[in-house]
Amino acid sequence: QVRLVQSGPEVRKPGASVRVSCKTSGYTFTGYYVHWVRQAPGQGLEWMGWINPNSGATKYAVKFQGRVTVTRDTSMRTAYMELRRLTSDDTAVYYCTRDRTPSWFDPWGQGTLVTVSS
Amino acid sequence: LMLTQPHSVSGSPGKTVTISCTGSGGNIVSNFVQWYQQRPGSVPTTVIHEDIKRPSGVPDRFSGSIDSSSNSASLTISGLTTEDEADYYCQSSDNHYQVFGGGTKLTVL
């Protein structure tokens, strides 16, 4: 069974950074891209970026370039998303999801709520 | 590429609704379109992938289509039930960037 299990909720102050982890199981980790998607309260889904776990190559949405870094640890079968210089607008649920190709996101992690508040 | 969806649609139980997803700034037929259902408080799940394919477990009341003439994709749900009440998002890619539509809230009256 393919599973993506994310780390728990986080609270940060404005200007801080947060790192969310996404531990995978049930499939060959290096065989599928992992994407990060976020959803602000009451808002829609917003794509942030992907990582190729095999090569480590990444691509980020223009909006987040310079502020987000996605990495992976192949030995741990885990992907990570770090977002820096947080503001209240970054308060959202952050999801990781596997790309079954072509660009079909399935399944999704359970989501991680990141709250940015002073 | 930007994907535009109606903010909301509604239908009565047993009826049929169609949710559109119109592409701009790019050709929607160049890459596959997926549709995700998200019930309140839940994780998105796929109802249509690769334009027209249904994952196992998704009832055949859900169908997808592409119209190249209008550069749009559509999700049609027939035989509406109250369980279909949810937000629906279209998604596609453009030069390795991923794009979501703004989402459509389906209300089953």
Side-chain angles (χ1 to χ4, degrees), chain A residues 39 50 102-105 108, chain B residues 32 34 36 38 46 91 96:
Chain A
Q39 186 171 37
W50 57 249
S103 298
W104 171 22
F105 300 157
W108 296 58
Chain B
F32 287 123
Q34 280 65 234
Y36 302 94
Q38 186 179 34
T46 310
Q91 172 257 324
H96 302 293

Side-chain angles (χ1 to χ4, degrees), chain A residues 6-24:
Chain A
Q6 300 181 220
S7 49
E10 304 274 9
V11 179
R12 294 288 186 272
K13 293 189 182 304
S17 300
V18 69
R19 189 175 85 152
V20 179
S21 67
C22 172
K23 185 168 180 60
T24 70

Side-chain angles (χ1 to χ4, degrees), chain A residues 8-62:
Chain A
E10 304 274 9
V11 179
R12 294 288 186 272
K13 293 189 182 304
S17 300
V18 69
R19 189 175 85 152
V20 179
S21 67
C22 172
K23 185 168 180 60
T24 70
S25 60
Y27 72 99
T28 302
F29 177 63
T30 52
Y32 299 83
Y33 286 25
V34 173
H35 295 255
W36 289 88
V37 177
R38 78 176 187 180
Q39 186 171 37
Q43 302 302 307
L45 302 172
E46 181 175 33
W47 177 75
M48 299 180 69
W50 57 249
I51 186 166
N52 176 344
N54 187 46
S55 67
T58 56
K59 197 168 193 73
Y60 305 124
V62 172

